[in-house]
Amino acid sequence: MAGPQISFGMALGSGQYVLGLLLAFLVLGPVFGMPIISGTLIEIGFEGGHGTAAGMAETFAEFGFPEGQDLALGLATIGILSGVVVGIILINWGVRTGKTTQLKEKGNLSVAEQAGLVEKDNRKSASTLTVQPASIEPLTLHFGLIATAVLIGWIILESLRWIEQQLWADSIEIIAFVPLFPVAMIGGIIVQIAIQTFDKHDIVDRQLVERIQGVSLDVLIVAALGTLSLLAIAANFWPFVLLAVTGLAWALFAFIVIARHVMPDYWFERAIADVGQSLGVTSTGLILLRVADPDLKTPAYPAFGYKQLVLEPFFGGGLITAGSIPLIVGFGAGWFFAGMLALFIGSLAAGFLYFGKKKSPKPAV
């Protein structure tokens, strides 16, 4: 079930690097005098989002390209807006042309749903009290678990930096420029394993964690936009436009042309989630999926979740995203481009020649 989703998602992420670096090789560098690391901006801004762009501020500055953060934040803003707008346009197109398998009727949403409200009869609790507030505030407990994940990530990162300084820092440094956020994801995995192993009383409430996630994302976007320099974007207006158009064009091409040949079935619902994520953030992809498959009757939702376990530690703010600039500077843009091109071709080959020809199992009802 996850194979086609992994193949398509990997092709989307690596394709953003391939096209971005080609643009840097052929246009951004020779015509506009931008550094070769500008070729990473499409993946950092679109697939990575505001969090990745903000988290890599020091990396951009360290390698003499401080305006890269502003360009990445601008691309992230375009991506998250276009992810919703373009995604809804694609869903309407899919309904009208019969490409959706679940969404058939037009205008079947209530007035409240169209306004983004939950009708009174359908409202449910956003979280559940799992511990006595007299002992510890539930919100404090859940924030503490998230802080523990970040702390574990910080310890891992500092340990890796110490090892690098002791062994090979004299010849090349890579881990020194890796930001905290991708390693904090590893801390999150460790905390998750600990919760599944020791939380016998189910004191961790998933809904409350999701609410914290939503608030954090909103605060992150507002804070990131607050640091955005419009002067930097204005000074690099045409490179910014080229990067944005290239990223949007690649997402549309992948959805309309490639997805149906990579996905064995339900290609529209499967692909709309990945395209939404590649333009905005994971929640954008999930929103579009819930619109296209409101009752989650297709394999798209579980397949997307399985794909995240494989893809998220590397792309969209993962280790490859965080290490792309140090790797390009340390080993050369040609080597990094060759690696991404090989991954891109391999992902497409696996999708076209293997996964696209298999039928996925139907999800349990």
Side-chain angles (χ1 to χ4, degrees), residues 161-174 176:
R161 286 174 174 172
W162 182 84
I163 293 172
E164 182 178 62
Q165 290 297 321
Q166 300 302 313
L167 298 180
W168 62 78
D170 293 337
S171 57
I172 186 173
E173 284 187 303
I174 294 178

Side-chain angles (χ1 to χ4, degrees), residues 155-214:
I155 294 173
I156 293 174
L157 181 59
E158 290 301 313
S159 300
L160 291 174
R161 286 174 174 172
W162 182 84
I163 293 172
E164 182 178 62
Q165 290 297 321
Q166 300 302 313
L167 298 180
W168 62 78
D170 293 337
S171 57
I172 186 173
E173 284 187 303
I174 294 178
I175 301 177
F177 304 109
V178 174
L180 175 60
F181 64 87
V183 192
M185 293 172 59
I186 300 175
I189 294 173
I190 294 173
V191 171
Q192 177 69 25
I193 294 173
I195 290 171
Q196 292 176 338
T197 304
F198 300 107
D199 185 14
K200 305 301 182 183
H201 300 285
D202 294 328
I203 63 172
V204 178
D205 179 37
R206 182 185 182 89
Q207 289 181 306
L208 183 53
V209 175
E210 290 177 349
R211 301 288 75 75
I212 296 174
Q213 171 188 308

